[in-house]
């Protein structure tokens, strides 16, 4: 693969760009502290300013030191509305995992499908990934719809596939798409 790190990606309505330290308050206000977003995530949410600062500091460090690090803030008209990333990058298998969050104020407008499609295009055509996979809680119908709109294939149910922040477990739906099946 030709790792380039996180580059700016522009779509019809959105700009995906690396995080900046000045994004802390907007990330917190617009999706980090959104309880509708937090109920489906396993990573520590940005539900405090301090956690938001730590999250962004982590991203800034990784941008400088890890060319395999892919993490974007999603902006609409200069407003931060969410984020998207490719993580668990596996060079041996040319694969990675897609993850995303979008503030609930912006749900049902096609923004996440637009953002993730742009990331898939970048991942397959610029970096050289062969397989991108993603998962969501069984109950997260909106995320399932995003993966289906991306033409990802349902691969199965991961029973108790995620430990939640409250130490319970949730089943995950697993989807994936191969470069040869990706059509932009």
């Amino acid at each position: 693969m030709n790792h380039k790190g996180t580059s700016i990606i522009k779509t019809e309505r959105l700009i995906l760009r690396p995080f900046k330290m000045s994004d802390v308050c907007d990330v917190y206000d617009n999706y980090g502290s959104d309880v509708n977003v937090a109920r489906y995530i396993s990573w520590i949410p940005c539900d405090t300013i301090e956690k938001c600062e730590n999250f962004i500091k982590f991203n800034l460090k990784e941008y400088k030191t890890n060319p395999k690090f892919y993490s974007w803030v999603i902006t609409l008209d200069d407003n931060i509305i969410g984020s998207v990333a490719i993580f668990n990058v596996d060079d041996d298998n040319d694969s990675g995992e897609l993850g995303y969050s979008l503030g609930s104020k912006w749900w049902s407008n096609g923004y996440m499908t637009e953002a993730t499609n742009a990331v898939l295009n970048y991942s397959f055509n610029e970096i050289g990934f062969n397989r991108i996979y993603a998962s969501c809680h069984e109950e997260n119908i909106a995320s399932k719809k995003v993966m289906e709109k991306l033409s990802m294939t349902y691969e199965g149910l991961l029973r108790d596939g995620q430990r939640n922040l409250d130490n319970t477990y949730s089943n995950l739906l697993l989807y994936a798409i191969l470069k040869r099946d990706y059509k932009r």
Side-chain angles (χ1 to χ4, degrees):
M1 288 195 287
N2 179 30
H3 291 293
K4 299 179 179 185
T6 305
S7 298
I8 293 173
I9 301 173
K10 294 180 181 182
T11 71
E12 185 178 322
R13 301 179 292 173
L14 307 170
I15 296 176
L16 285 60
R17 62 163 174 78
F19 285 91
K20 301 183 287 194
M21 205 63 221
S22 60
D23 294 335
V24 170
C25 290
D26 287 340
V27 168
Y28 173 79
D29 290 339
N30 295 346
Y31 77 99
S33 63
D34 188 331
V35 294
N36 295 310
V37 174
R39 70 179 164 181
Y40 293 123
I41 59 174
S42 63
W43 50 275
I44 296 173
C46 292
D47 59 354
T48 67
I49 291 290
E50 182 181 24
K51 288 179 186 175
C52 238
E53 288 174 350
N54 291 338
F55 172 71
I56 291 175
K57 285 178 185 175
F58 169 78
N59 277 267
L60 297 176
K61 178 184 148 292
E62 290 296 310
Y63 293 145
K64 290 180 181 175
T65 61
N66 184 359
K68 299 178 190 180
F69 185 72
Y70 302 100
S71 178
W72 295 267
V73 65
I74 303 167
T75 65
L76 171 69
D77 300 325
D78 293 324
N79 293 308
I80 292 172
I81 63 171
S83 61
V84 59
I86 299 289
F87 55 100
N88 292 330
V89 173
D90 180 348
D91 281 324
D92 292 333
N93 293 298
D94 298 333
S95 68
E97 184 171 359
L98 175 68
Y100 45 85
S101 294
L102 184 70
S104 60
K105 292 185 263 187
W106 296 279
W107 289 359
S108 301
N109 290 295
Y111 297 129
M112 191 50 72
T113 301
E114 186 175 331
T116 51
N117 189 51
V119 168
L120 286 180
N121 185 56
Y122 178 78
S123 299
F124 288 135
N125 296 316
E126 298 290 325
I127 307 304
F129 282 91
N130 180 59
R131 180 176 190 271
I132 301 290
Y133 62 96
S135 64
C136 69
H137 278 235
E138 220 172 6
E139 306 84 23
N140 192 345
I141 302 305
S143 187
K144 177 183 176 210
K145 285 180 181 178
V146 168
M147 291 184 275
E148 290 170 348
K149 287 177 185 174
L150 295 171
S151 298
M152 296 180 94
T153 300
Y154 175 71
E155 293 188 337
L157 178 72
L158 302 173
R159 296 174 39 214
D160 284 354
Q162 175 179 297
R163 182 165 51 185
N164 302 309
L165 296 172
D166 64 2
N167 286 321
T168 62
Y169 292 89
S170 291
N171 293 339
L172 297 177
L173 304 175
L174 179 64
Y175 284 77
I177 188 167
L178 304 177
K179 182 177 183 175
R180 68 177 173 257
D181 299 326
Y182 177 73
K183 294 170 182 57
R184 169 136 175 143

